[in-house]
Amino acid sequence: MDITGKKESRLEEFKANPRRAIWVLALPMMIGLAIQTAYMVVDMIFVGQVGEEALAAVQYAGPLMFFGLGIVFGLGSGITAVIANFIGAEDKKGADNSAEHGVALGLILGAAITTAGFLWGKDLLLLAGASENTIGPAWDYFSIIIIGYMFMVLSVFFRSILTGEGNVRTPVMIQAMGTVVNIILDPIFMFSLDMGVKGAAVATVVSQTAVCLIFIYMLFVKEHAYVTFSMKDFSFSSIILKKIFLIGIPASFSMVLMSSGNFVFNRIISGMFPNEAQMGDLAVAAYGVGSRVDHIFLMPSIAIATGLVTVVGMFHGARRMDLVRQVIYYGMSRAALIGIVLGAIFYFNAEVIISVFTDDTDVIVFGKDYVHILVFAYPFIAISMASGRILQGLGFGMPMLVITFLRVFLISVVLTVIFVYWLNKPIEWIWISMVISMISSAIVASVWLQWGLRRVEKRISQVAPSPA
C-alpha cells in the first residue's frame, strides 16, 4: 500500500527481482496445490474404502466434472493474462474492467454448465463406459456435484483475477481452508451418515460453496484486492472480452480436449476385457488412482507455469522482453528438474504408493505399471505446460489448444487404437502411447515458444524501444 492506504500493483517489485517473483507466486500456490492434492488423495482413499466399484465410478465421473470446469479454467487463464498485461501497462481501469467481465462470465457459464449436467450427465456416463455395476454410484456422485458447479465456477474466476494482479497467497489460503473442510466432512458424510460415494460429493459441494462465499466477502465487502469492482456500473467492452477469449477460448478447448481424452481412455480401458466386465472396472479404477499420483508431480509444474503467466504478462505489458526471457529459462529449467526428481521417487515407490489407495491386487498391479511408465514423461510435461502458459502470457492462446490436440488425439489416442485394436497389445501400451505423445508435444511447444518470443520482440521493437 502507499501512504494513502491505496493498494498498489506488484509490477515494480517483480521487475526488481524477476527470479524471486516466480517463487513469490509459485510457492504459495504449491502449498495450496499440496493441500488440494492431499484432499484428492484422501478423498480417493475414503472412496476406496467403499469399494473398487466406487473408485471406478468416481473415475468415470471425473472427465465430465472437468469437462465443464476445463472451459472455466481456460477462460480464467485468459482473465489472468489480460489483467496482468493491463497492470504491466499501468492501466488500472482496464484491469478493473477485465475483472468485472470475469465475474459476469462466471455467472453465465455457471448456469449453462449446471443445466447441461442435469440434462445429459447420465447419458454421458454410460457413453464413457460405466457398467451396470458402476452407473448407479457414478450418477449418485455426479448429480450432486452438479449442484455445486456455480460456486466452483465463480471460485475459479475469483482466483484467476487475484492471480492476474500477482496475489496468489489470498486464493491459496481460501482454497486451503475449503480443502481442509472437505477432508473433515468426507468421513462424516460417507461413513457416519452412511451416504457412501454420495457423501464424497456432498462434502465437495459444501466446501466449495464456503470457498465461493469467502471470495465474495473478501473481494466485494472487504475489497481485499488491487483491482476494484463496481458491478452496478459495469461497462461492457468488446475489446476486453475479445482479449479474454483470444487467450482463454483456445485454453478452454485444450482443457476440454484433455477431459475428452480421459473420457476416451476410460472407454477403451473398460472395454479391454470383454469377457470380464469387472476387470475393466478395476483397470479404470487403477487409471484413476495413477492419475491422482500424477497430481503430486503436477503441483510444482502447475504452480511455476501459473506464476510464469502473471510475471510474463506483466513484463510483456511493460515491454521488458529481456526480463521475459530471463524468467522463462529459469522457471522452465526448475520445473523440469523437479519433474525428474519426483519421477525417480515415484518409480522406486510405486507399489507402496498405489497400495495406500486400495488393497485389491489387480488394481495395485495395473496402477504400479502405470506409474512405472508415466514417470518418464514428467520432465516433458513440465516443459510443455510451462511453454503453453508462457505463450498465454505473451497473448497467444492458440498454441496451447493445438499442442493439446496433438498430444491427446493425434498421437496418444491414435497410438492407443493402433496398439490395442490393431496389434492386440496389453494395457501397458496405452501408458506408453501417453509417454510418446507427451515427449512429442514438449518438443513442439518449445519450438513454438521460441517463435512466439521472436514475434513479440519484433513487434515491440517496431513500436518503441523497451523502457529501462
Side-chain angles (χ1 to χ4, degrees), residues 24 195 447:
V24 165
M195 296 178 69
V447 173

Side-chain angles (χ1 to χ4, degrees), residues 357-378:
F357 296 89
T358 178
D359 58 1
D360 186 278
T361 304
D362 292 315
V363 175
I364 292 173
V365 170
F366 285 135
K368 182 180 70 173
D369 289 343
Y370 173 91
V371 173
H372 277 166
I373 293 170
L374 260 291
V375 294
F376 289 99
Y378 281 3

